[in-house]
Amino acid sequence: MKKFVEVFPDKQALLARALVIVTSQIQAAIQEKEKCTIALAGGSTPKPLYESIATQNLPTDKIHLFWSDERYVPPEHPDSNQRMVRKAWLDRVDFPQGNLHAMPTGAGNPTVDAQTYEKELLAFFQIPAGEFPIFDLILLGMGDDGHTASLFPHTEALSVKDRLVTVGNKDGQPRLTFTASLINHASCVLFLVAGANKRLALEQVFASSADPMTYPSRLIMPQGELWWLLDQAASM
Ligand code: 6PG
């Protein structure tokens, strides 16, 4: 793993750098393989980034979008990460529907939907069960409790090692989430962390020793590149 940590004066500068990294990762993957696979983060931090990506005139026919986690709500629900990305990016560009791989939330059972998404990943990447796909890029945020994706502190999802997708739990609310194992197979993982409210958790995530069950972002150690883009307010 190669780790990069960059600190920016504010969120706007952080997101400008993120745009450069994301677009260069996309172009490199397409150059190499004629396609790029990206898993998107939810939450509020990356929304302006998705709005900026929409202006980049990217070859969307060669980009396959996935989500690294999803709230267990219908796609039109205000809390839906799929809805957030559609409004920020997808509704503004011509994106082939077949290239959009949103997490399903319609089975009425998050475990069933997690298994469905896992099967979709295995089929798309053409790998057998038990193997892990290698995403070109996975975007992640970090909560003020040190969670990432929907891997929340002291939840069962943190211990799931043999699956690609599992059910996360935020205060009793189910979510679908990539497992740490899947994230750690990525070629590149990019964390976007802004805001003073993240500082204490970030200190623990970066500390020489702290409990990853308490600070799940510590579990993220990808085989490829790990980028942390921080604003001044969030960093030590
Ligand atoms: C989600 C995200 C979650 C998010 C962090 C940070 O579904 O909310 O996947 O992990 O990245 O909670 O959220 P903010 O960017 O809103 O601070």
Side-chain angles (χ1 to χ4, degrees):
M1 174 180 86
K2 282 172 68 177
K3 184 174 176 181
F4 306 88
V5 181
E6 296 184 358
V7 181
F8 298 88
D10 54 36
K11 184 173 166 182
Q12 193 178 4
L14 180 162
L15 293 173
R17 174 68 169 144
L19 180 64
V20 170
I21 294 172
V22 170
T23 49
S24 61
Q25 290 287 338
I26 289 172
Q27 282 150 0
I30 290 171
Q31 182 97 29
E32 183 194 335
K33 302 174 296 169
E34 276 297 300
K35 77 169 179 221
C36 174
T37 54
I38 315 176
L40 301 174
S44 59
T45 303
K47 188 167 178 285
L49 169 62
Y50 300 145
E51 291 167 346
S52 303
I53 295 175
T55 68
Q56 298 300 301
N57 196 24
L58 293 170
T60 54
D61 60 317
K62 296 186 172 63
I63 300 173
H64 284 265
L65 290 185
F66 300 78
W67 275 252
S68 50
D69 76 322
E70 184 58 276
R71 292 78 181 277
Y72 203 64
V73 294
E76 284 317 307
H77 190 284
D79 290 349
S80 165
N81 286 333
Q82 177 188 164
R83 179 177 182 272
M84 180 271 285
V85 174
R86 286 191 185 283
K87 292 200 174 302
W89 179 3
L90 307 181
D91 292 351
R92 304 171 184 217
V93 299
D94 179 15
F95 223 111
Q97 276 307 306
N99 289 21
L100 303 176
H101 311 269
M103 287 185 154
T105 58
N109 178 330
T111 303
V112 169
D113 277 320
Q115 289 165 350
T116 300
Y117 200 59
E118 176 148 338
K119 288 186 186 116
E120 179 172 351
L121 294 180
L122 293 171
F124 176 83
F125 284 93
Q126 298 177 329
I127 54 175
E131 279 187 30
F132 287 85
I134 298 174
F135 278 87
D136 295 308
L137 177 61
I138 297 181
L139 295 178
L140 294 174
M142 190 194 79
D144 59 10
D145 59 356
H147 83 262
T148 189
S150 283
L151 300 169
F152 289 91
H154 303 294
T155 57
E156 286 176 24
L158 303 186
S159 310
V160 177
K161 308 234 182 300
D162 58 347
R163 307 305 302 263
L164 308 183
V165 185
T166 192
V167 179
N169 174 342
K170 177 178 184 173
D171 307 330
Q173 292 306 311
R175 296 192 169 186
L176 301 189
T177 184
F178 277 10
T179 59
S181 301
L182 173 54
I183 296 170
N184 286 337
H185 278 78
S187 295
C188 181
V189 174
L190 179 61
F191 271 98
L192 310 175
V193 183
N197 64 316
K198 311 286 178 80
R199 179 176 300 191
L200 290 177
L202 202 65
E203 270 179 22
Q204 294 303 312
V205 170
F206 277 34
S208 53
S209 72
D211 179 8
M213 296 295 114
T214 307
Y215 298 99
S217 293
R218 290 178 67 90
L219 294 170
I220 307 308
M221 295 172 278
Q223 61 180 356
E225 296 181 352
L226 174 59
W227 289 79
W228 285 88
L229 301 188
L230 313 172
D231 72 353
Q232 199 66 49
S235 64
M236 283 64 93

